[in-house]
Amino acid sequence: MQELDLFYQKTKKINQFSGYLLVAIALTLLSIGIVALFSASGKFVLEKESQISSLMLRQFLWIAIGLFSCLIFSLIDYHKLLQLSSWLLILGFFLLILCFVPGIGHKVHGSSRWISVGGFNVEPSEFSKIFISLFFTRILSNAKKKSLFYMSPFFTAFVTVGLFVSLLIISGDLGSSLLYFMVFVLFLYLGGISLKWILPILGSGILFVFIVALLMPERRSRLLAFLAMDQDKEGKSYQVWQSLIALGSGGISGLGLGNSRQKMFYLPESTTDFIFPIIGEELGLWATLLIVGLYLSFILTAGWISLFAPDKEGLMIGTSLTSLIGMQTLANLGVVTGLLPNKGFPLPFISYGGSNLVFCLMSVGLLLNIHRQRPPEFRIKVEEKGAQRSINL
Amino acid sequence: MTSTPPGIRHSVRLRISLLALVVIVAMGILLSRLWILQIYEGKAYASKLRNQTTISLRLAGARGPILDKNGVGLAENRAMFEIDLYLDELVRDFPRRHKGKTPRIEVQRMMGGNVVLRKEPDIYKIVMTDLAPILKALRLAVKLDPKELQRHYFTSPSVPYSLRTDLDYATVARFEEQNLGVPGIDIAVKPIRYYNYGALASHVIGYVAAPDDKEKVSPDGIALDMVGKWGIERYMDGQLQGKPGGRILKVNYRGYIVNEESYIPPQLGDCVYLSLDTRIQYIVETALRSVGRGAAVVVDPNTGDILAMCSVPNFDPNDFIPKISQENWQKLTTDPTNPLVNRAISSYPPGSTFKLLIALAALKSGAITPKTVINSPAAIDIGGHLFHDWTKTGRGNITLYDGIRYSCNTFFYQVGIRTGIQNIEQMANVAGFGQLTGIPLPGESPGIVPGPEWMKQKYPMERWSTAHTANVSIGQGFLQVTPLQMALFVAAIANGGTLFYPRIVQGVSNNKGEIKIAVPSRVHSQLDVNPQDLEAIKSAMLGVVEEGTGANAKIEAIKVAGKTGSAQATKKLNGKLYKDTRAWFVGFAPYESPRYAFCILVEGGVSGGATAAPIAKKILEGIFEIEKGHNPTLTYLKPAIGNFNGLTEFTKEQSGSSQPKPPPDNQSGQNDDDD
């Protein structure tokens, strides 16, 4: 107890600046993303006669929307959002169903996860991640009963996540369904459920997704390709293979900004999920290490902020959002470096695409919101005033 | 007081810290993975990247030219026109031109590890639809491999597919007329060897052809398009080879060219200067064409430079470019007159021309002096056999001057025997006979200088006798020399006793004109004969032309010295034995200050004086016209066709019964019939 106090005292300064740090890292990653996207999208000008600016303009618009939502979410007290969370969740669910409605839903590569709004494709599952986090926080933060049985809040959460996951699996978005499930497990973890329950649930969940993946022919071949990559460089593991070629040929110092060859349609999705290899090819190892370092700092800073949230609600929201961004980052980087089976996760802040970017910036907003409301003990200004609260450890 | 936030249990913070640890570990794994990927495996991936994102187009390097001593181009390059097919363009444009669907074909492809049937444009059909009428109009026959075409289209659709066809200008012009409106069929230009004067000096220059498997890569690792196969082209191939250049093109995953990454210009090979004088060569070639088989060599007696070297029949090296037709090759290799053999460096019995060497050996050894008088009857008895002169009357008491002038056999039998075979052999070795001259041309024969030692090795059962010596003394028997050796020997007499190595390549310069190699003229040996004795031989040679057997070579205003020779040989043709006289004429001119030494050999001639001397006359007249400034008009020479004119059927009675029987494999005859 004493040591913890001492720790808090010593880290006051860090607490003071962690908000700025978070924003700074997020903006750095955004900038890297713009530069990388500028380079990676150059091919469209050559091949598809579309202007380089159209893709970039779109992205700039999304960044503007994202920054605006970030501001909004940092200003509205998250407790108010928590009160609205049930309605937000219903909205999210509704939007996910809209994906299946012809005329509104937009199908890409056989999965219905987009809805078209005024020429923009929006992925509701991205936003719903925030909504489900808020909802789980609301029902679980004060759960007295640490039980998973019928009518307990954890059971409600289980049913909710089951609905979302089923919907996502039907829409063909295995990656997101896995993320949703992981959020659920995370809340069990934060909610204090014993690990002897959590680990089997986690295991069976992952097994379930694995089985589903094996049942879907398209996913199965991808999964099998991952297991025997060298035998199938032209086929299913082509993308990952090309990604490794890009990263490997970048070497230490890279081929130079704009000199990527792999972006010339060798590496599919080089502006979205596979933008990291292009950066690695053009700027080399130092840039890739820097980016990984930035993500690590982002996650740790966000985690720090969550850790010093004013209450358990803040802690849960912060941690779940941080975990979502972290898992997504790790999944993306794991795929492009050939460590994980090929699953489409965008790289937060860098990949082209609006929905995920807005989700990430909203999360940054919420984290700032939590940071702004941190208890006075963690503020330098009020250090001596010592407004004290009881501690329930 | 504690200052921890409210409502949060310590265990939750612990759990979050655990999560952070997991993230840190995961990121650590990621970092090390990146480190391995980008540093340790980087090079391997980089080469894979190059392979799949670039296409190298080879640009053939042009061969350096072969020039004569005055810089006249003998072998240079011309543009070769090829048809290039831009397959992708053809396919895309097909529906528009033919108002129909693109024909498709099912092709097996490896896709994702499985063999799948894919519908692809039937590129062969498309190409033939567009190309066939054009080719038909141009009367060109081009065979296309449908499979190769399909593969080329699949792998690199935007790289032109080259139809290897050597089109001439007229065809190119007609092609362009026909081709209007078909995009995707185009003409490409490549440098290729061209021999400006056709068959002129073809045995010296040689020819180039596509390399065989051993020659495909040069010593410095460059893949070669064409290599020298014969003659100077082969000997100087290392210098003549141009360096190929290339274009490295960046392509995207569909094989479309995005841009040019680098361009290495092809380089012209080095330029080889020959000692030949094209004008003299031309005169020699045209003069020698009057006979069916023969050789002529003109050398500069002061340097050993070969000014002209000609062998008839010959071939047109342009027939070998870009590839000799089966029919032509068949013709060249099966022709009984052997047009591919360079007769100037093949060996023949020298006949009376060898008497010059006998005279030299005799004078040097002191066996005779220029004033020694020897009775030379119509025939003399040597070792129990009668050895005849070619006249029925004999010459009586004569000296060396008349002996050479009349080419008297009985005189030289006696001189030769007096000199002894050892001295003759020694002199012959000094004079370069019986050994290779080292001229860098393929197929050179060293010739044979027989003697007791040689006899022991070659025919252990036989013993050398004076009869053999007598035979050598008139240039018959086993003796074999090449026209080149003879010309160099005469050159040595003309220049006062210095025997040169032949020089055919004078130097090499790079394509900027800077001299890289200058080949010096090299002395083989000194004849080392008393000047008065040499003078005696020279004046006798003058006598040969002025008032002797070589009168047919006499020309106006310039004194010519020479020696005739007629060696009888037999030739088996269609199962019959024929008399195939080798008519020789060697000499030099002008007599006072020799600038040209020459040797002319005609197979199937009547005699040296009757057949070879008139050719020498024509050549010398032409050469001195050039000196006066009247250059011949050089034209493209068609290959000289060989024949067997001048053969007379061989009968037993004609063969010299008075002489020892030659060993069974000795092809040459025994008589020396001179004028």
Side-chain angles (χ1 to χ4, degrees):
Chain A
M1 202 100 92
Q2 286 303 314
E3 288 132 34
L4 205 63
D5 275 348
L6 202 66
F7 179 70
Y8 288 143
Q9 288 296 328
K10 280 193 173 172
T11 51
K12 267 181 191 165
K13 264 216 162 105
I14 299 176
N15 286 327
Q16 187 71 12
F17 292 107
S18 52
Y20 297 115
L21 192 59
L22 192 75
V23 173
I25 295 168
L27 289 179
T28 309
L29 287 170
L30 263 183
S31 319
I32 291 172
I34 291 168
V35 173
L37 200 56
F38 204 84
S39 167
S41 64
K43 63 178 177 182
F44 291 116
V45 180
L46 283 167
E47 182 83 355
K48 290 187 176 163
E49 296 159 20
S50 82
Q51 288 181 344
I52 197 166
S53 53
S54 80
L55 189 139
M56 290 305 293
L57 276 179
R58 218 170 251 256
Q59 185 71 353
F60 279 128
L61 192 63
W62 277 118
I63 289 172
I65 293 171
L67 289 175
F68 182 70
S69 357
C70 175
L71 190 69
I72 299 289
F73 275 73
S74 68
L75 291 178
I76 303 170
D77 186 352
Y78 65 82
H79 296 98
K80 279 182 189 156
L81 285 173
L82 280 177
Q83 281 164 16
L84 290 170
S85 63
S86 304
W87 294 109
L88 286 173
L89 191 73
I90 291 166
L91 173 72
F93 196 74
F94 176 68
L95 286 175
L96 276 179
I97 289 173
L98 267 189
C99 293
F100 296 96
V101 177
I104 303 171
H106 180 73
K107 219 170 174 178
V108 176
H109 298 311
S111 58
S112 326
R113 38 174 128 158
W114 285 271
I115 50 177
S116 280
V117 183
F120 284 85
N121 290 329
V122 181
E123 215 176 339
S125 64
E126 294 287 350
F127 305 107
S128 302
K129 280 191 273 191
I130 292 185
F131 304 153
I132 206 164
S133 289
L134 289 172
F135 179 72
F136 284 175
T137 304
R138 180 176 155 85
I139 61 167
L140 296 179
S141 59
N142 294 315
K144 293 283 180 286
K145 239 172 127 187
K146 303 283 179 262
S147 140
L148 291 169
F149 295 108
Y150 180 62
M151 287 317 282
S152 80
F154 290 101
F155 185 77
T156 315
F158 179 74
V159 172
T160 313
V161 85
L163 274 173
F164 273 86
V165 165
S166 321
L167 207 52
L168 286 167
I169 287 177
I170 293 167
S171 77
D173 192 353
L174 274 189
S176 291
S177 58
L178 195 61
L179 275 185
Y180 276 67
F181 176 71
M182 292 302 282
V183 169
F184 169 68
V185 174
L186 182 78
F187 273 95
L188 295 186
Y189 185 68
L190 296 178
I193 298 290
S194 161
L195 281 177
K196 74 179 176 195
W197 285 109
I198 291 175
L199 289 178
I201 289 174
L202 182 66
S204 52
I206 290 175
L207 195 68
F208 175 71
V209 172
F210 199 82
I211 288 166
V212 170
L214 280 177
L215 289 175
M216 298 163 100
E218 171 70 10
R219 316 283 147 173
R220 184 178 64 187
S221 51
R222 267 207 223 174
L223 205 63
L224 293 178
F226 170 74
L227 298 174
M229 185 163 76
D230 281 356
Q231 292 158 20
D232 192 22
K233 287 168 187 160
E234 299 294 317
K236 293 297 168 202
S237 57
Y238 172 81
Q239 203 172 9
V240 173
W241 180 244
Q242 293 298 337
S243 164
L244 294 183
I245 286 180
L247 278 172
S249 58
I252 298 178
S253 49
L255 301 177
L257 193 60
N259 288 345
S260 164
R261 294 150 181 276
Q262 291 296 86
K263 70 185 179 190
M264 296 315 300
F265 296 99
Y266 285 104
L267 181 57
E269 303 293 332
S270 64
T271 54
T272 53
D273 296 355
F274 280 81
I275 196 161
F276 186 73
I278 302 295
I279 300 173
E281 188 189 1
E282 293 191 345
L283 301 174
L285 179 69
W286 302 126
T288 55
L289 292 190
L290 174 77
I291 290 171
V292 172
L294 281 173
Y295 278 115
L296 183 60
S297 337
F298 180 87
I299 292 164
L300 292 181
T301 311
W304 193 265
I305 287 171
S306 318
L307 207 56
F308 295 102
D311 45 29
K312 195 162 184 191
E313 285 94 342
L315 181 135
M316 279 186 156
I317 294 172
T319 312
S320 61
L321 294 180
T322 306
S323 306
L324 276 168
I325 292 178
M327 281 189 288
Q328 203 187 316
T329 306
L330 285 171
N332 178 284
L333 296 180
V335 167
V336 299
T337 50
L339 293 171
L340 294 175
N342 192 355
K343 194 70 225 71
F345 287 107
L347 190 59
F349 301 109
I350 292 185
S351 284
Y352 171 74
S355 306
N356 185 256
L357 185 71
V358 172
F359 156 72
C360 290
L361 288 170
M362 277 178 177
S363 305
V364 171
L366 272 171
L367 284 161
L368 285 177
N369 191 334
I370 294 162
H371 180 64
R372 271 168 17 90
Q373 297 191 42
R374 70 192 181 280
E377 298 86 21
F378 302 148
R379 296 164 198 258
I380 289 174
K381 271 188 261 171
V382 295
E383 191 185 344
E384 296 313 317
K385 291 183 185 168
Q388 289 152 16
R389 297 195 192 181
S390 62
I391 299 141
N392 179 17
L393 283 173
Chain B
M1 284 302 285
T2 56
S3 55
T4 41
I8 300 169
R9 295 199 326 173
H10 181 65
S11 66
V12 174
R13 294 185 192 283
L14 198 71
R15 286 191 165 194
I16 290 178
S17 307
L18 266 173
L19 275 185
L21 200 67
V22 169
V23 169
I24 290 170
V25 168
M27 287 289 185
I29 293 170
L30 207 59
L31 286 176
S32 52
R33 170 69 172 165
L34 280 173
W35 190 275
I36 291 167
L37 257 181
Q38 298 201 274
I39 292 187
Y40 291 105
E41 297 174 357
K43 281 226 171 89
Y45 283 116
S47 68
K48 277 174 193 127
L49 177 81
R50 266 202 85 70
N51 287 347
Q52 73 174 7
T53 58
T54 58
I55 288 180
S56 327
L57 286 186
R58 183 190 166 75
L59 303 171
R63 264 179 103 75
I66 299 176
L67 310 177
D68 82 344
K69 68 190 305 174
N70 303 316
V72 176
L74 294 170
E76 289 177 317
N77 296 302
R78 67 176 166 87
M80 177 171 78
F81 295 92
E82 288 180 351
I83 302 176
D84 268 2
L85 301 176
Y86 293 81
L87 301 181
D88 191 56
E89 222 174 326
L90 273 173
V91 172
R92 269 186 292 175
D93 207 47
F94 191 87
R96 186 182 65 77
R97 266 177 291 116
H98 299 275
K99 300 201 170 47
K101 272 191 181 170
T102 312
R104 291 192 178 264
I105 189 173
E106 285 210 328
V107 188
Q108 287 194 345
R109 294 266 178 243
M110 290 289 288
M111 301 291 285
N114 310 316
V115 177
V116 276
L117 281 175
R118 263 172 51 118
K119 283 228 166 193
E120 284 181 20
D122 187 351
I123 192 70
Y124 181 71
K125 209 166 174 184
I126 292 169
V127 167
M128 289 322 279
T129 315
D130 283 321
L131 199 63
I134 300 171
L135 293 178
K136 206 175 167 193
L138 299 181
R139 282 179 294 281
L140 282 173
V142 176
K143 265 192 190 167
L144 276 171
D145 180 1
K147 266 194 181 154
E148 200 198 323
L149 206 61
Q150 197 78 29
R151 198 183 56 221
H152 187 95
Y153 174 67
F154 184 69
T155 52
S156 37
S158 69
V159 176
Y161 181 86
S162 160
L163 280 182
R164 287 199 169 267
T165 305
D166 188 6
L167 308 174
D168 56 37
Y169 286 101
T171 315
V172 170
R174 269 184 291 149
F175 179 90
E176 294 293 356
E177 278 170 35
Q178 294 282 334
N179 190 29
L180 284 177
V182 182
I185 300 181
D186 215 343
I187 299 269
V189 194
K190 257 178 141 186
I192 197 154
R193 205 49 151 176
Y194 183 68
Y195 301 95
N196 292 345
Y197 301 108
L200 183 102
S202 53
H203 283 111
V204 175
I205 299 168
Y207 55 85
V208 296
D212 57 37
D213 290 341
K214 273 188 213 154
E215 303 164 323
K216 270 203 174 118
V217 180
S218 78
D220 34 339
I222 295 166
L224 302 171
D225 299 285
M226 284 291 215
V227 293
K229 285 280 191 182
W230 198 251
I232 292 298
E233 288 275 30
R234 178 177 184 163
Y235 176 68
M236 301 299 285
D237 197 45
Q239 273 78 19
L240 289 167
Q241 278 292 352
K243 272 213 179 102
R247 292 171 71 202
I248 296 172
L249 302 170
K250 234 193 239 184
V251 293
N252 69 12
Y253 79 115
R254 269 291 284 133
Y256 290 101
I257 293 167
V258 178
N259 58 12
E260 186 177 274
E261 190 177 76
S262 58
Y263 171 73
I264 306 157
Q267 278 176 26
L268 187 65
D270 289 340
C271 167
V272 169
Y273 285 91
L274 298 184
S275 64
L276 294 184
D277 186 322
T278 309
R279 299 167 299 177
I280 298 177
Q281 178 77 27
Y282 185 80
I283 285 163
V284 171
E285 296 251 356
T286 44
L288 202 64
R289 271 157 192 261
S290 56
V291 299
R293 290 166 297 144
V297 179
V298 179
V299 302
D300 182 339
N302 304 309
T303 56
D305 276 0
I306 295 179
L307 299 172
M309 177 183 271
C310 173
S311 174
V312 167
N314 57 14
F315 57 92
D316 186 346
N318 283 324
D319 288 346
F320 288 85
I321 315 295
K323 191 175 187 301
I324 191 161
S325 66
Q326 193 65 34
E327 178 195 357
N328 258 348
W329 180 245
Q330 197 76 21
K331 235 196 246 167
L332 280 177
T333 47
T334 55
D335 187 337
T337 61
N338 288 332
L340 288 175
V341 168
N342 185 355
R343 289 176 154 76
I345 51 176
S346 304
S347 55
Y348 301 90
S352 301
T353 55
F354 202 67
K355 287 170 184 166
L356 295 173
L357 185 117
I358 302 296
L360 266 179
L363 291 168
K364 192 177 173 184
S365 67
I368 59 163
T369 69
K371 298 207 171 65
T372 309
V373 176
I374 296 172
N375 180 27
S376 310
I380 58 169
D381 183 294
I382 298 164
H385 293 281
L386 267 186
F387 277 63
H388 294 267
D389 186 27
W390 55 274
T391 58
K392 300 277 182 279
T393 56
R395 297 288 180 188
N397 291 327
I398 53 170
T399 59
L400 182 66
Y401 180 83
D402 283 335
I404 290 177
R405 191 159 67 97
Y406 297 134
S407 195
C408 180
N409 285 356
T410 45
F411 179 85
F412 273 98
Y413 291 140
Q414 297 173 61
V415 171
I417 291 164
R418 278 191 207 182
T419 311
I421 189 68
Q422 277 79 15
N423 284 329
I424 294 171
E425 264 189 292
Q426 202 183 341
M427 192 69 220
N429 283 335
V430 171
F433 293 110
Q435 48 200 283
L436 294 172
T437 64
I439 191 167
L441 295 178
E444 191 189 7
S445 160
I448 299 168
V449 177
E453 278 305 308
W454 177 87
M455 191 69 122
K456 237 186 232 168
Q457 281 177 16
K458 200 85 182 174
Y459 301 103
M461 305 307 285
E462 296 238 352
R463 277 193 58 220
W464 190 266
S465 67
T466 46
H468 286 114
T469 309
N471 248 349
V472 169
S473 302
I474 58 160
Q476 288 281 18
F478 302 106
L479 191 65
Q480 299 254 313
V481 307
T482 69
L484 175 65
Q485 284 170 344
M486 212 63 215
L488 291 166
F489 170 58
V490 174
I493 293 175
N495 66 29
T498 308
L499 189 80
F500 285 98
Y501 281 106
R503 179 166 68 166
I504 186 86
V505 176
Q506 277 196 326
V508 177
S509 69
N510 65 14
N511 51 35
K512 293 185 199 84
E514 297 153 358
I515 288 173
K516 280 175 75 180
I517 306 169
V519 181
S521 79
R522 282 158 60 223
V523 174
H524 174 274
S525 56
Q526 295 294 338
L527 296 183
D528 198 18
V529 184
N530 196 329
Q532 287 89 26
D533 293 345
L534 205 60
E535 220 32 66
I537 291 174
K538 280 166 83 173
S539 70
M541 285 174 77
L542 180 64
V544 168
V545 177
E546 294 286 313
E547 44 180 0
T549 54
N552 280 340
K554 199 168 172 179
I555 61 171
E556 262 179 61
I558 309 267
K559 280 185 180 171
V560 179
K563 178 74 194 81
T564 56
S566 315
Q568 207 183 64
T570 52
K571 171 87 188 164
K572 222 177 187 172
L573 202 64
N574 303 328
K576 276 183 189 165
L577 214 56
Y578 289 92
K579 194 168 107 178
D580 189 13
T581 305
R582 272 72 201 258
W584 292 81
F585 190 74
V586 301
F588 59 87
Y591 176 69
E592 296 83 4
S593 52
R595 292 192 291 276
Y596 308 97
F598 55 87
C599 171
I600 287 126
L601 161 76
V602 177
E603 287 180 57
V606 178
S607 69
T611 316
I615 293 172
K617 180 181 176 177
K618 247 193 231 168
I619 292 171
L620 289 171
E621 277 174 349
I623 288 175
F624 290 113
E625 278 299 301
I626 292 170
E627 284 201 348
K628 279 187 220 156
H630 303 303
N631 287 337
T633 320
L634 301 179
T635 55
Y636 189 99
L637 290 179
K638 288 229 157 59
I641 306 300
N643 62 47
F644 288 106
N645 296 347
L647 291 189
T648 50
E649 203 163 333
F650 190 76
T651 52
K652 274 273 179 254
E653 294 79 60
Q654 274 175 296
S655 88
S657 52
S658 60
Q659 286 166 23
K661 284 253 163 68
D665 65 336
N666 185 9
Q667 282 290 306
S668 58
Q670 300 84 37
N671 270 347
D672 181 22
D673 284 345
D674 225 331
D675 286 16

